[in-house]
Amino acid sequence: MDRNMLAQEGEGVYVADNRPTSAGGMYIFRFKALAQGNTVVTFVYSKPASGDIPALTSRTLSVTVEVS
């Protein structure tokens, strides 16, 4: 992530979701836009490996910051 474009505000917050169709919850991350442009943000989730479930997973998102 281009730290001149985005600044993470605080730590991620876990919000539980116990509905039968949910995956158990989600993390919410907040960012402050510092400059206009495009950047990539990668989230890495780590936990102890369990059977066929890997210890690390990641998701990469393309982010466009626009000024209106």
Side-chain angles (χ1 to χ4, degrees):
M1 158 175 100
D2 183 343
R3 295 185 192 285
N4 293 314
M5 187 174 302
L6 291 175
Q8 184 175 334
E9 294 188 325
E11 296 295 317
V13 175
Y14 182 75
V15 178
D17 185 347
N18 297 322
R19 293 178 295 172
T21 58
S22 81
M26 66 179 159
Y27 282 91
I28 297 175
F29 296 87
R30 297 192 185 275
F31 295 87
K32 180 178 182 178
L34 303 175
Q36 184 171 313
N38 299 304
T39 190
V40 174
V41 178
T42 301
F43 296 93
V44 178
Y45 180 72
S46 65
K47 63 179 181 174
S50 175
D52 293 338
I53 301 172
L56 292 175
T57 56
S58 66
R59 297 291 181 262
T60 300
L61 305 171
S62 295
V63 177
T64 301
V65 178
E66 298 178 348
V67 176
S68 56

